[in-house]
Amino acid sequence: MIGGLFIYNHKGEVLISRVFRDDIGRNAVDAFRVNVIHARQQVRSPVTNIARTSFFHIKRSNIWVAAVTRQNVNAAMVFEFLHKMCEVMAAYFGKISEENIKNNFVLIYEILDEILDFGYPQNTDTGILKTFITQQGVKSQTKEETAQITSQVTGQIGWRREGIKYRRNEFFLDVLESVNLLMSPQGQVLSAHVAGRIVMKSYLSGMPECKFGINDKVLMESKGKSSLDDSARGGASGKTAIAIDDCQFHQCVKLSKFETEHSISFIPPDGEFELMRYRTTKDISLPFRVIPLVREVGRQKMEVKVVVKSNFKPSLLAQRVEVRIPTPLNTSGAQVICMKGRAKYKASENAIVWKIKRMAGMKECQLSAEIELLNTDKGKKWTRPPISMNFEVPFAPSGFKVRFLKVFEHKINYSDHDVIKWVRYIGRSGLYETRC
Amino acid sequence: MTDSKYFTTTKKGEIFELKAELNSDKKEKKKEAVKKVIASMTVGKDVSALFADVVNCMQTDNLELKKLVYLYLMNYAKTQPDVAIISVNTFVRDCEDPNPLIRALAVRTMGCIRVDKITEYLCDPLRKCLKDEDPYVRKTAAVCVAKLHDINAKLVEDQGFLDALKDLLSDSNPMVVANAVAAISEILETSDTAQTSLEMNSNTINKLLTALNECTEWGQVFILDSISNYNPKDDKEAQSICERVTPRLAHANAAVVLSAVKVIMKYMEILDINSETVTILVKKLSPPLVTLLSAEPEIQYVALRNINLIVQKRPDILKTEMKVFFVKYNDPIYVKLEKLDIMIRLTNQGNIAQVLAELKEYAAEVDVDFVRKSVRAIGRCAIKVEQAAERCVGTLLDLIQTKVNYVVQEAIVVIKDIFRKYPNKYESIIATLCENLDTLDEPEARASMIWIIGEYAERIDNADELLESFLEGFQDENTQVQLQLLTAIVKLFLKRPTDTQELVQQVLSLATQDSDNPDLRDRGYIYWRLLSTDPAAAKEVVLAEKPLISEETDLIEPTLLDELICHIASLASVYHKPPSAFVEGRGTMRRSLPRNQSGEAPLSDTGATNAPAPVQQPTVIPGVDSLIGDLLDMDLGGPTPYQQQQMMNQMPPSAPAAQPQGAIDLLGEGLDNLLGGGGGGLDSLGGLSDIFGSVSQSSFYTPPQEVWLPAAKGKGLEVTGTFARRNKQIFMELTFTNKAMQPMMGFAIQFNKNSFGLLPASPLQIQSPLPPNQSASVSLPLNTQGQVQKMDPLATVQVAVKNNIGVFYYSCQVPMHVLFIEEGEMDKKDFLASWKEIPAQNEVQKTIDGVQHNADTVSQKLRNNNVFTIAKRNVEGQDMLYQSLCLTNGIRVLAELKIQPGMSTFTLSLKSGVQDICLPIHQAFDNILHN
């Protein structure tokens, strides 16, 4: 298991060092600094083995977080844990920076003590941790209070405490999708997928059981038990249903129930959490198309023409549209003309950045640019990085729909009808690239 | 108020000031001071001087302060065990505190204080806490058992904590179960005595599967990892476990997903390959693996390394998912390189067009390593998919036209492989390749180019000029290039004998006379001999048909692959190395996949008769190097001894050379002259083959087997054995005799830490079951990579042998000479220098009685056992032999052996940096000489 955990600043100075196992000595701290942080060549793997000791590291801005072990540990678990730990720290004191870490080092030690015992990760749920790691110095708690804390930390429903009460029971569901695209210069889709997340903010009293319905093909087919035949598949339900390649759930979702009954049921944590993640690759409606035209005119000039087409209902508006057109390293300047939005050549970023605040569906915009190049005699060949796009649209490009989310709470008297429900769809660009 | 100020104090009298503050009456001031101490500790300052003062702050009801003091204690208790003991009382008291958080804190901290004296006091509180009413305390206590076991395994086993731990598996709280499982897994890895009491059975597995649905994500990982170590008793059980594990594939935590994948991959081995279950499982595995690729890059990396293994084991999984492995521009380099690897594995005729287009894009990127790998990948595509070979070659030619230096070199290396795969198909491009001759500066590229020229020498008009141009800087070339050049020129000569004699003489002279490299010199001599004795044979050998190269490259050897599949998600799967390669201790026990036993009766029915079904060694797919095989041709890996042997066999017998005719005649004489001594050269070669003949029967002294474990002590198992050394490897020769009334099976062997780190290099493979009154012998290869611990006497090795009846221990003495390595010969000068360097008090003088040999026999006998005579002197009628030897752990020993003619008593003086070693070595000399 994890033998030790170190946090360094960008210079390699130790900010936090906690050793859990006897086989990790103080020299491990230095080994990582010398061989990874100060390595002459940038390290090319997040796992480094130095003298039979393995170091796992992740970086948050310029902070290095490293886990050390001399055993054959579960590597996926170590990385998941490191990410989780950063999440917990961020939930306590915001951004992970040198200053924040120094300011909270006692807190961090206390958290570490709780979430990692002898190198074994324990309960890392922020909500629960905050109930008893407070930095206020525990005032003598009543017996009931401590009993409640311990049962939550270890409990079967470790993510929610009992006795939550709201005057107004409501929840917010955000369907957040990021569309990823790689397109050839000729407009052929090389790969496209949507990575979706359903983020729920729940403000519900008691221990509510929720049932969640979506328009996934498999789930809907198993619901319409009467028409399971092949002939019925293309029928009424098939039109709006989408094919989800794979989905993953927050630990509150009863996975065995999902596997056997194809239903998503859970008791939600209080407040915000990510209920589900999913991935689709079929029938994605791509909100934008980029058509690039790059012409190299001699050695000192290049002409670029880019057309952006929006491809969704005209009544909808895309926001924060940004097209990033890379330019060669030896660019000396660029004349840019665009019909809509504002475009600028940014030398520091080696790109022309074209921003359009709003853009309705079924529209077309064009930009043309003349790029002047410095004459370099040998210069490495420019590799033409792809043109990338950022945007935000008010629909789910995968076609994902929330069909229902029902709330049942038997002990306290409120019913599904009393719950105020909000659902919102946001489609964002992930890696949305067109080669040129 | 922030805490960062604690990091800033750097004054000199700091410790003194802190001391005062720690003893202050004000609580706040105390706490401040402790925080400062912890901050100093973090940055690596030694604050152990404050130990007593800090520990005094321990008795407080302020939980924050208490935690800080505990943190300090964990760090420094070991350095001050005597003072640390005063903390025991507080711990014991805290374990009784009404607040479960404090009870747990005390148990958690106690386990981290590695002081023997304290450990004893820990047992009682721990026993209480294991049965605490609060699950939070119980889950902490479960881990504490593992901590304690790490400090003092015997104590844990004697005090019955293992049973207590096992009871926790039935706990009502899932997190307690999860931590108990984690602790058990760890204990099992380090101790084999615990094996019997903690072994999993289907009952416990059932409990774990129930807890699986309810515990935290981390708990699920512990449980799944532990289930993966269990071997189900039949395919029904395997199937039902798989069914209960598959829902985990939809978990948000990548570690849970990968651990579930591990269980399923392992258990699928037991299921019938054609069953519906397997088809469904295979289908279910693919989507979650793809999803892992949208996780954080570090997790993607772990996932990709594992996917690489999974697609080798079961190519059906992911075969249609090529696109998800396309490289994104912003992927970190480590993700890019791994994706590329997997792309190649998934390439087939159907998707080759897409893949090739991608690879061409990648070859234009910035990162040199990535570009090289992409170019190489194009070559591999050509070899894998014949239909696409032409397109691949075209693409490579395009890339060569870019003139980017490293791209060109890499392209030439892969084109050589393409020529191997499709001979006589693409020679038209040779001209283009030759244009780039001058720019090649990497040995591999140069060697490849030279190989191509040699191979197609008859079609390249100026082949001789080209090769000659390389010859100018022969001395400065890398060995690989030199060897290749030698072979290529010989090929050229055999193809165009008339105008290349001079060239061939030149290269042979360079190789045989001006080179220090034995490989090069030997190959030069072999060619020379071949050419001068039998040119027809030479042609047959040098221009022999080459075996085809395989389509799949870089495949992991199947037994290793199977082992790695058992380690999915772990570090081993990331490194693609067995745990023994990077971990010490017992955790390195080899794991192997269970075998499908369909068709055989279930094990439980027939008893154990077929229990340890002899594991069939799968045939090893030879790596690229050995497939290339043809030693005379490709030399990227260097010839193996086996190949050399084969070559010697191919050579005509060492009869005097038949007079060669024509052009060859000239050459024969020329070469004789080259050697200077005329016919003397031939003799030396004859001697060479003598050496080959005698090497195998060298009289290495192997002591007779002695009884190590008498049957009376081994419950009927008698073990006799000895040690031997063959082919640079140490073997333990063992004979197991079953003197009991029942068959024995399930043999396993283990070594304790010993002075030389001896360790079995492979698991014990012995006929099993062993029927009564029969014996079986086995040679167990050993390596010296184990943990080292000095034993007394030095050469003692403690061994544990296990079978179905029990575990037995015995110890034996390693005869020191099996540890002498073949490379122990020293230079005369070095010997002298070392002799002087080692102080005289390190010299040990002993006598050896009753030896009836003269100096030469003695020296030969010792030489056979890797004791090398460096010099021999005759002083006043006495023969003095000066000898050196080197042990596996690098310790050198120098010896001076005084032999008086007519006397049977020799005097042996030994000198070594390590004095203790001399006694057993003297013993070894004695044994060798008396043999």
Side-chain angles (χ1 to χ4, degrees), chain A residues 21 44 54 109 114 120 246 383, chain B residues 42 136 186 291 364 367 575:
Chain A
R21 298 252 168 174
R44 304 203 128 208
S54 298
Y109 277 126
E114 190 56 47
Y120 289 106
D246 187 31
T383 57
Chain B
T42 299
Y136 184 75
E186 175 151 356
T291 300
D367 190 284
Y575 293 143

Side-chain angles (χ1 to χ4, degrees), chain B residues 400-420:
Chain B
I400 288 177
Q401 302 300 356
T402 62
K403 301 275 177 202
V404 179
N405 188 277
Y406 53 86
V407 174
V408 174
Q409 310 213 35
E410 208 60 45
I412 285 183
V413 173
V414 292
I415 284 177
K416 170 211 67 192
D417 284 341
I418 296 178
F419 279 173
R420 281 293 307 276

Side-chain angles (χ1 to χ4, degrees), chain B residues 437-706:
Chain B
L437 220 52
D438 306 334
T439 60
L440 307 179
D441 53 12
E442 289 162 24
E444 199 180 355
R446 284 174 85 85
S448 301
M449 192 65 220
I450 293 169
W451 180 85
I452 293 172
I453 297 172
E455 191 64 17
Y456 294 95
E458 69 272 33
R459 319 203 186 176
I460 306 171
D461 293 336
N462 59 344
D464 48 346
E465 284 169 35
L466 293 176
L467 291 176
E468 200 171 358
S469 72
F470 281 105
L471 208 53
E472 280 160 19
F474 189 80
Q475 317 280 20
D476 306 326
E477 295 282 6
N478 181 292
T479 316
Q480 189 186 355
V481 181
Q482 291 177 332
L483 286 165
Q484 212 47 257
L485 197 54
L486 171 63
T487 304
I489 290 178
V490 172
K491 278 187 197 163
L492 173 71
F493 172 71
L494 288 169
K495 287 174 177 174
R496 287 172 26 189
T498 40
D499 55 344
T500 53
Q501 290 162 33
E502 221 173 286
L503 197 59
V504 96
Q505 288 195 11
Q506 205 180 336
V507 78
L508 285 174
S509 115
L510 283 168
T512 52
Q513 289 196 315
D514 299 342
S515 169
D516 295 336
N517 184 316
D519 284 349
L520 186 63
R521 220 167 44 208
D522 289 355
R523 190 186 288 193
Y525 280 133
I526 290 169
Y527 283 151
W528 163 73
R529 186 177 162 82
L530 265 174
L531 292 175
S532 57
T533 46
D534 188 351
K539 226 170 191 165
E540 250 168 63
V541 173
V542 181
L543 303 179
E545 191 108 331
K546 279 161 287 295
L548 277 183
I549 56 174
S550 70
E551 290 177 5
E552 292 288 348
T553 42
D554 298 346
L555 277 183
I556 294 177
E557 189 261 313
T559 40
L560 177 60
L561 180 62
D562 282 357
E563 193 185 350
L564 292 179
I565 290 285
C566 299
H567 288 292
I568 282 176
S570 77
L571 262 180
S573 73
V574 174
Y575 293 143
H576 288 187
K577 282 180 192 161
S580 54
F582 59 92
V583 171
E584 285 149 6
R586 195 177 166 282
T588 61
M589 275 293 259
R590 289 194 57 180
R591 293 200 185 136
S592 55
L593 286 177
R595 299 280 146 200
N596 179 8
Q597 276 137 1
S598 58
E600 293 172 21
L603 297 178
S604 48
D605 292 352
T606 53
T609 44
N610 58 356
V615 181
Q616 234 185 356
Q617 284 288 330
T619 42
V620 175
I621 296 180
V624 197
D625 292 290
S626 60
L627 266 179
I628 287 173
D630 175 6
L631 149 80
L632 294 167
D633 221 27
M634 298 300 304
D635 195 46
L636 305 181
T640 62
Y642 169 71
Q643 287 166 329
Q644 278 179 343
Q645 190 91 49
Q646 233 184 6
M647 260 204 30
M648 294 310 291
N649 294 343
Q650 281 179 11
M651 277 180 47
S654 59
Q659 213 31 262
Q661 63 290 70
I664 312 292
D665 191 6
L666 257 172
L667 184 76
E669 273 178 33
L671 284 168
D672 279 350
N673 294 339
L674 280 180
L675 269 170
L682 269 178
D683 285 342
S684 72
L685 272 172
L688 187 67
S689 60
D690 286 345
I691 293 172
F692 262 94
S694 63
V695 146
S696 51
Q697 44 190 302
S698 105
S699 53
F700 188 88
Y701 167 59
T702 306
Q705 294 207 347
E706 52 184 85

Side-chain angles (χ1 to χ4, degrees), chain B residues 264-374:
Chain B
I264 296 170
M265 282 296 286
K266 190 176 168 191
Y267 285 18
M268 269 202 291
E269 289 296 307
I270 303 171
L271 302 176
D272 181 10
I273 186 100
N274 298 315
S275 69
E276 201 191 347
T277 326
V278 170
T279 329
I280 292 172
L281 284 175
V282 165
K283 232 183 239 161
K284 279 189 177 163
L285 279 179
S286 158
L289 288 174
V290 173
T291 300
L292 290 178
L293 297 185
S294 41
E296 288 85 355
E298 294 88 8
I299 292 170
Q300 278 187 53
Y301 174 71
V302 175
L304 285 164
R305 294 292 284 175
N306 278 288
I307 289 172
N308 199 333
L309 298 172
I310 293 168
V311 296
Q312 286 185 57
K313 183 71 192 166
R314 293 195 178 261
D316 276 354
I317 303 174
L318 295 169
K319 69 176 172 208
T320 54
E321 300 284 357
M322 170 60 93
K323 275 188 182 176
V324 300
F325 296 103
F326 284 179
V327 170
K328 298 189 185 115
Y329 192 76
N330 291 326
D331 280 337
I333 182 69
Y334 52 83
V335 169
K336 283 184 176 176
L337 293 172
E338 292 307 317
K339 280 187 172 174
L340 200 53
D341 248 353
I342 296 169
M343 277 172 71
I344 305 297
R345 297 219 191 281
L346 297 178
T347 305
N348 57 35
Q349 209 181 326
N351 57 24
I352 184 81
Q354 266 184 326
V355 173
L356 212 52
E358 281 294 308
L359 291 176
K360 206 174 166 186
E361 288 281 338
Y362 303 161
E365 283 218 29
V366 191
D367 190 284
V368 177
D369 278 351
F370 181 59
V371 169
R372 282 171 176 276
K373 202 162 182 177
S374 305

